[in-house]
Amino acid sequence: MRPEILYPLFASVGSLSGVGDKAHKFLNTLLGGDKIVNLLWHLPSGIVDRTYSPRLSEAVAGRICTLKVRVVEHIAPKTNRQPYRVVVEDESGRLELIFFKVYADSIKKNLPDGAVRIISGKLESFNGMWQMPHPDFILRPEQFSDDMKKETVYPLTAGITGKMIRKFAAQALARVPQLPEWIDAEFLRRQNWKGFKGALAAAHHPEYESDLEPWSGERSRLAYDELLANQLALAIVRQKVRKQPGREIRGNGMLRKKVLEALPFALTSAQQKVLDEIYADQAAKFRMLRLLQGDVGSGKTVVALLSMLNAVECGAQAAIMAPTEILAKQHLETIAPLLENVGLRAELLTGRIKGKTRAKILEDLEAGKINILVGTHALFQENVIFKDLAFVVVDEQHRFGVHQRLSLSEKGNQADMLVMTATPIPRTLVLTAYGDMEYSKIDQMPEGRKPTDTRVLPIDKLSEVAAGLKRRLDGGARAYWVCPLVEESEKLDLAAAEERFASLQKVFGNKVGLVHGKMKEKDKDAVMERFKKGEISLLVATTVIEVGVNVPEATIMVIEHAERFGLAQLHQLRGRIKRGCSASTCLLMYAGPLSETGKERLNIMKHSEDGFEIAEKDLELRGGGEILGTRQSGFTMFRIADMSAHKNLLHIANQDAKMILETDPELKSERGKALRVLLYLFEKDDSVRTYKA
Ligand code: ADP
Ligand code: MG
């Protein structure tokens, strides 16, 4: 249960004065949540310095000035196009305030002749005359106070003005209680950091531009808090899994030997190394929880199969779970014949398998007649009962959070778990997202793969590309056409894909098919089948094809608006045409003009095919968070910490978390109790809940 001391911070922003229903809704969108904490994590993005108050005769054009002036004269416009002008003066000179499209009445009321006013805005020089278009504020002298000289700027959204958010943030800050210190005293002293409350207040009141930098003292402290909460939560989960007794799985190797003999290739040394790591985990007394990373095509499936067989050799069962039906089926197609060959049985279980077939599978599973079950999420429904499940593989599940992993591992009977991902994740991010797991990496590709010829082209070459494609398809080739991400909306994605589909139909007729995420699984599968069989030779797709699809005959890929994709995502997509041994071509089409970074990013794609190198570069160029494309949000989980700026702090937090749990595994000491507050503050409730008391 959340500690009472944090209640004020988890109240709704609707409880702040001045937040009506409308503002509440807008704030919710802007902050990604409607709690006071969400507002507190929303840090300023800039400051406007209004301290420059020169005499007009000494002023410098182009700067923001705050001036005390007297109103001299109003000059009404003669035509609609002219602005309304108001002449004002100080003791050294004159200045014209310029207003476009405003009501004369309100200006007259605000600036009566002869009145003294404080104005602030950008001073410009026009034909030897000082001008200030639309001052940021016009105040009576008694309305002006010193704190207006440094104006904090926040990221905004429609419906919320800077003035509103400053007012709300001030109220939110006033509600922050004095919290117990959770950072180690010595470390805090060495960093010269303020306490949490002080740091938060200071972060919301930057004085200098440098205060806005991620490495400023205040922001570093808050980033550390966030990273420590993240690392500690993962360490707690890991501690919990480690405490669970596991089974000592040590098969006799017979099945594995036979399967290996039946394979048309030998394992790469990278595959062998990873398998040895897995076998060691399986043989150990504790439960295994390991992440297996390997680029697309590096041969993870065989590794999964062999480690499952290790469990099967011991008389137990294994399961492999894929994120989609298509992928689950593909796994079955690879695995089933190999198993049959050694007298074993694999079956498929997805949500679509129903009725008698399903009943029979469930019956055989419980009776132990099925050795390996392949499927989707349906595998973990309550009525799916294994006779003796000892090993679980979760494939391509980077969308799976730590808490899902936790609940999944609770289902098997002390089952070991291997999570596989083809998304190359930089080391740093592995720590933040999978810090609860052991980690293996297949860092070498099987031999004989031909490189992909990747080209970067402007989108206005589209019709030439289509013509070239037509020649290749007429010659028997097969191709994907990937449609762009349009903002964060699946609906718009779909519209773009449908439009492209329609226009390509004009060129390719009934040779074109369309798949997208909004289609029913059944229809999607049907189109994929036709593409596999070659009845369709061009497949227009949204990013649904990203994960897994295996059509070795497809050797060409066109990606529209490649500049909108994350590099890791482009790499994944491109991986789809590298399945066979034939040469492949990838055309990255962009809409100009590209920024320098944009150019560099596409260039990386052109020159590298190493997923890990690409991911590291992407992280460098973009900072964390977005690395996998914002939609695969598993990684966009930090509100303050920034993966390029706070890398060092992450490593310290990682060590800190380990030390904490070594000395105080139950978080019962003074600091331990404060750390529980920290975990709740960053909404790591699930991990704290694993403690009983
Ligand atoms: P991924 O890691 O993307 O899941 P797969 O396991 O699907 O990769 O393997 C890609 C292809 O490479 C498959 O056709 C597989 O049979 C083949 N393969 C796997 N290991 C090797 C190897 N050691 N040598 C040659 N080919 C291999
Ligand atoms: Mg795979």
Side-chain angles (χ1 to χ4, degrees):
M1 278 255 292
R2 181 180 295 145
E4 241 168 82
I5 193 170
L6 291 179
Y7 285 3
L9 301 185
F10 285 86
S12 159
V13 288
S15 67
L16 297 171
S17 98
V19 180
D21 284 351
K22 251 193 186 159
H24 190 156
K25 226 180 77 205
F26 289 131
L27 279 174
N28 190 27
T29 317
L30 176 66
L31 308 173
D34 79 334
K35 304 281 177 278
I36 301 285
V37 272
N38 300 120
L39 182 54
L40 292 171
W41 304 145
H42 191 68
L43 297 181
S45 53
I47 18 180
V48 178
D49 185 345
R50 300 195 186 280
T51 49
Y52 182 56
S53 303
R55 290 153 55 91
L56 274 172
S57 58
E58 289 155 11
V60 176
R63 287 190 65 177
I64 302 243
C65 297
T66 305
L67 305 169
K68 189 173 187 177
V69 294
R70 207 177 56 82
V71 180
V72 178
E73 168 186 26
H74 284 241
I75 305 171
K78 294 196 183 65
T79 72
N80 254 342
R81 290 220 187 124
Q82 284 177 351
Y84 192 105
R85 293 179 294 163
V86 179
V87 182
V88 299
E89 66 179 7
D90 70 359
E91 67 279 12
S92 72
R94 287 193 165 189
L95 159 71
E96 269 184 9
L97 308 181
I98 309 284
F99 300 92
F100 288 92
K101 294 194 178 158
V102 282
Y103 292 107
D105 285 355
S106 73
I107 296 182
K108 279 184 187 140
K109 213 173 121 205
N110 251 345
L111 293 161
D113 283 334
V116 174
R117 291 290 182 263
I118 310 282
I119 57 164
S120 186
K122 197 178 199 180
L123 192 66
E124 286 168 7
S125 160
F126 184 73
N127 283 345
M129 178 79 193
W130 286 123
Q131 287 191 342
M132 186 182 289
H134 292 268
D136 298 330
F137 62 67
I138 299 169
L139 297 169
R140 290 192 298 275
E142 66 273 19
Q143 288 175 312
F144 183 71
S145 60
D146 269 356
D147 58 349
M148 293 175 184
K149 287 184 184 163
K150 280 275 160 75
E151 190 173 293
T152 309
V153 179
Y154 284 92
L156 297 175
T157 181
I160 301 288
T161 64
K163 204 168 154 190
M164 284 160 86
I165 205 152
R166 283 194 293 275
K167 211 173 87 190
F168 302 152
Q171 290 180 63
L173 283 168
R175 294 198 190 178
V176 180
Q178 202 68 49
L179 297 175
E181 184 56 70
W182 46 74
I183 294 184
D184 172 70
E186 172 58 21
F187 182 56
L188 192 72
R189 196 187 56 74
R190 257 191 294 141
Q191 296 291 323
N192 209 4
W193 282 342
K194 296 185 174 71
F196 173 74
K197 188 179 156 92
L200 195 60
H204 278 274
H205 293 111
E207 277 207 48
Y208 306 100
E209 287 291 326
S210 60
D211 296 339
L212 299 165
E213 301 286 358
W215 41 81
S216 73
E218 286 70 41
R219 293 205 180 204
S220 297
R221 146 96 217 203
L222 298 174
Y224 190 75
D225 291 338
E226 186 173 33
L227 292 167
L228 184 60
N230 164 267
Q231 289 299 297
L232 189 58
L234 289 166
I236 289 169
V237 172
R238 182 193 176 99
Q239 169 180 269
K240 188 187 165 188
V241 173
R242 283 262 161 175
K243 266 200 207 139
Q244 295 168 340
R247 315 167 45 155
E248 295 171 44
I249 298 285
R250 246 185 237 107
N252 61 12
M254 290 308 291
L255 295 173
R256 281 172 279 173
K257 184 158 172 276
K258 281 191 202 157
V259 165
L260 279 172
E261 278 165 8
L263 287 175
F265 50 76
L267 295 180
T268 62
S269 58
Q271 282 169 316
Q272 190 57 56
K273 178 197 74 192
V274 163
L275 271 169
D276 290 341
E277 288 164 359
I278 295 171
Y279 294 155
D281 272 7
Q282 290 179 309
K285 281 202 186 72
F286 50 80
R287 277 179 83 157
M288 158 176 171
L289 183 54
R290 182 174 284 273
L291 175 70
L292 172 59
Q293 265 199 290
D295 216 337
V296 185
S298 62
K300 292 183 293 297
T301 318
V302 193
V303 170
L305 176 62
L306 290 168
S307 38
M308 289 193 285
L309 285 175
N310 189 15
V312 174
E313 284 168 6
C314 297
Q317 291 164 301
I320 177 164
M321 180 169 99
T324 65
E325 299 226 20
I326 299 182
L327 268 175
K329 262 199 212 149
Q330 257 172 41
H331 278 318
L332 187 81
E333 280 162 23
T334 317
I335 291 172
L338 290 166
L339 281 201
E340 244 167 71
N341 192 33
V342 292
L344 297 175
R345 185 171 154 206
E347 286 289 347
L348 180 72
L349 188 71
T350 68
R352 252 170 60 207
I353 294 170
K354 296 204 171 93
K356 274 193 196 148
T357 326
R358 185 180 192 88
K360 179 84 174 93
I361 290 175
L362 292 180
E363 189 189 316
D364 287 354
L365 188 69
E366 196 167 356
K369 290 181 194 158
I370 294 170
N371 309 94
I372 293 183
L373 189 64
V374 182
T376 52
H377 285 77
L379 283 187
F380 291 94
Q381 281 161 6
E382 258 166 55
N383 63 353
V384 180
I385 301 162
F386 291 81
K387 178 163 186 256
D388 182 18
L389 176 66
F391 197 78
V392 178
V393 180
V394 181
D395 187 16
E396 311 266 9
Q397 275 296 11
H398 53 254
R399 272 156 260 215
F400 233 52
V402 58
H403 302 300
Q404 279 105 332
R405 291 203 289 274
L406 205 55
S407 68
L408 230 165
S409 71
E410 274 157 8
K411 294 221 165 167
N413 168 27
Q414 302 177 348
D416 289 328
M417 178 146 50
L418 179 70
V419 177
M420 305 201 295
T421 171
T423 308
I425 310 168
R427 200 86 184 91
T428 321
L429 293 188
V430 168
L431 211 53
T432 62
Y434 296 102
D436 57 328
M437 308 174 82
E438 307 296 326
Y439 169 78
S440 294
K441 178 170 154 184
I442 304 182
D443 52 10
Q444 170 196 12
M445 291 297 234
E447 271 166 38
R449 298 279 159 87
K450 290 233 172 60
T452 302
D453 176 15
T454 300
R455 294 180 216 165
V456 179
L457 298 163
I459 202 120
D460 44 27
K461 293 261 163 68
L462 198 121
S463 49
E464 287 156 58
V465 166
L469 197 57
K470 181 142 188 5
R471 284 193 296 277
R472 294 280 298 271
L473 297 195
D474 287 344
R478 249 174 273 174
Y480 296 100
W481 188 295
V482 183
C483 289
L485 291 168
V486 183
E487 299 178 349
E488 288 291 293
S489 148
E490 238 176 282
K491 237 197 208 150
L492 293 175
D493 276 13
L494 190 51
E498 276 171 343
E499 203 175 296
R500 182 59 66 219
F501 174 61
S503 74
L504 288 171
Q505 255 180 335
K506 287 189 191 126
V507 186
F508 298 94
N510 60 4
K511 285 278 170 196
V512 201
L514 172 67
V515 282
H516 56 73
K518 283 272 142 98
M519 275 162 92
K520 292 213 184 84
E521 282 287 336
K522 206 174 71 193
D523 302 337
K524 224 191 297 184
D525 282 9
V527 179
M528 287 308 305
E529 262 323 296
R530 295 187 60 209
F531 186 56
K532 258 189 185 172
K533 285 191 195 140
E535 294 167 16
I536 294 171
S537 49
L538 179 60
L539 187 66
V540 179
T542 53
T543 44
V544 289
I545 60 157
E546 178 187 346
V547 200
V549 171
N550 192 6
V551 180
E553 294 82 4
T555 53
I556 304 171
M557 179 174 283
V558 179
I559 303 180
E560 252 187 77
H561 282 292
E563 79 281 2
R564 294 187 190 163
F565 290 85
L567 288 192
Q569 211 176 3
L570 285 177
H571 178 69
Q572 287 275 309
L573 286 167
R574 186 172 58 180
R576 296 302 120 215
I577 50 169
K578 277 194 64 165
R579 317 246 61 178
C581 314
S582 24
S584 53
T585 311
C586 179
L587 303 178
L588 301 176
M589 311 217 46
Y590 66 88
L594 284 180
S595 65
E596 276 309 308
T597 312
K599 262 182 223 157
E600 204 176 326
R601 292 177 69 242
L602 292 183
N603 246 330
I604 293 168
M605 291 308 298
K606 187 172 165 178
H607 295 296
S608 176
E609 290 195 64
D610 175 341
F612 291 97
E613 184 186 336
I614 290 171
E616 292 288 351
K617 288 255 172 70
D618 202 20
L619 183 64
E620 254 169 55
L621 288 175
R622 296 210 290 178
E626 281 185 280
I627 190 95
L628 301 173
T630 34
R631 272 184 216 201
Q632 295 157 301
S633 52
F635 290 88
T636 58
M637 56 185 169
F638 292 116
R639 279 154 284 203
I640 299 163
D642 168 333
M643 274 314 97
S644 36
H646 298 129
K647 224 173 177 169
N648 285 340
L649 289 181
L650 173 68
H651 289 281
I652 298 170
N654 177 262
Q655 293 303 312
D656 201 3
K658 273 188 201 149
M659 289 250 294
I660 290 163
L661 290 188
E662 267 165 36
T663 53
D664 183 15
E666 300 286 317
L667 298 185
K668 288 209 159 127
S669 67
E670 256 336 278
R671 185 177 179 210
K673 283 181 205 149
L675 285 160
R676 286 183 183 221
V677 175
L678 172 72
L679 290 168
Y680 280 110
L681 179 63
F682 283 97
E683 297 171 66
K684 308 288 180 197
D685 302 27
D686 299 29
S687 65
V688 203
R689 237 180 258 133
T690 65
Y691 293 117
K692 296 219 168 52

